[in-house]
Amino acid sequence: MNITISQGNHAFNVKSDATIIIDVLRAGTTAHYLSQYAIKSCTLVPDKATAFSLKDRATLLVGEEQGIKIEGFDFGNSPYRILDQDAKFNNKKVVFLTSNGTKALLNNFQPNGTFLCGLVNAATTVEYLKQQSLPSIHIIASH
């Protein structure tokens, strides 16, 4: 298996069978917890303007800029703040924006598989990828 490793959140233009974005502090963990709720969708966006353009009564805005909740967003990017909030997220669309993790994912999307990984889902991600027997994986440490 060919593994390439990069650091940052910009586009790396690396061709691979799967890309893993590692954001262990917040984005990967928050995304994992969001995936546990019965949300209708989770849309990653590159900037606040796009996020606000998608806002309606059925949409929650989740995210941060430089670690601080964005004014006008429903939630910041703290896994702790969204934990046990299933009633608020059920049947909602989520728009997600972070300083690093979502940007790294958007800039390096691979149609065969792109994964946003935190500590809470690292083992599951590794096990899944081992089962796929992929020839190449690109790992990006998002920061």
Side-chain angles (χ1 to χ4, degrees):
M1 175 185 305
N2 181 35
I3 297 175
T4 56
I5 300 173
S6 304
Q7 295 182 31
N9 65 15
H10 57 279
F12 290 101
N13 297 317
V14 173
K15 299 290 184 210
S16 65
D17 296 295
T19 297
I20 304 169
I21 310 297
I22 300 174
D23 189 318
V24 298
L25 296 178
R26 289 187 166 219
T29 303
T30 300
H32 172 76
Y33 288 134
L34 288 171
S35 74
Q36 305 304 302
Y37 297 139
I39 61 175
K40 289 184 177 181
S41 64
C42 183
T43 302
L44 307 180
V45 295
D47 54 53
K48 292 186 293 189
T50 305
F52 285 119
S53 76
L54 297 172
K55 178 71 172 160
D56 61 28
R57 281 194 258 162
T59 303
L60 294 173
L61 302 181
V62 177
E64 53 76 24
E65 271 187 326
Q66 305 307 314
I68 299 170
K69 178 184 168 203
I70 299 167
E71 188 174 332
F73 271 42
D74 301 290
F75 291 89
N77 187 32
S78 170
Y80 177 76
R81 298 278 184 223
I82 68 163
L83 200 58
D84 299 324
Q85 297 290 328
D86 16 351
K88 291 182 180 176
F89 283 95
N90 286 344
N91 282 335
K92 296 285 186 175
K93 296 179 285 183
V94 173
V95 173
F96 193 32
L97 168 64
T98 67
S99 298
N100 293 304
T102 58
K103 287 186 171 103
L105 200 145
L106 288 168
N107 288 332
N108 295 282
F109 180 79
Q110 295 287 331
N112 295 336
T114 306
F115 302 86
L116 182 56
C117 188
L119 293 177
V120 293
N121 65 342
T124 303
T125 303
V126 168
E127 286 305 312
Y128 175 80
L129 290 170
K130 280 170 47 178
Q131 293 173 7
Q132 304 310 303
S133 300
L134 300 171
S136 63
I137 294 177
H138 184 203
I139 299 172
I140 300 171
S142 170
H143 61 82

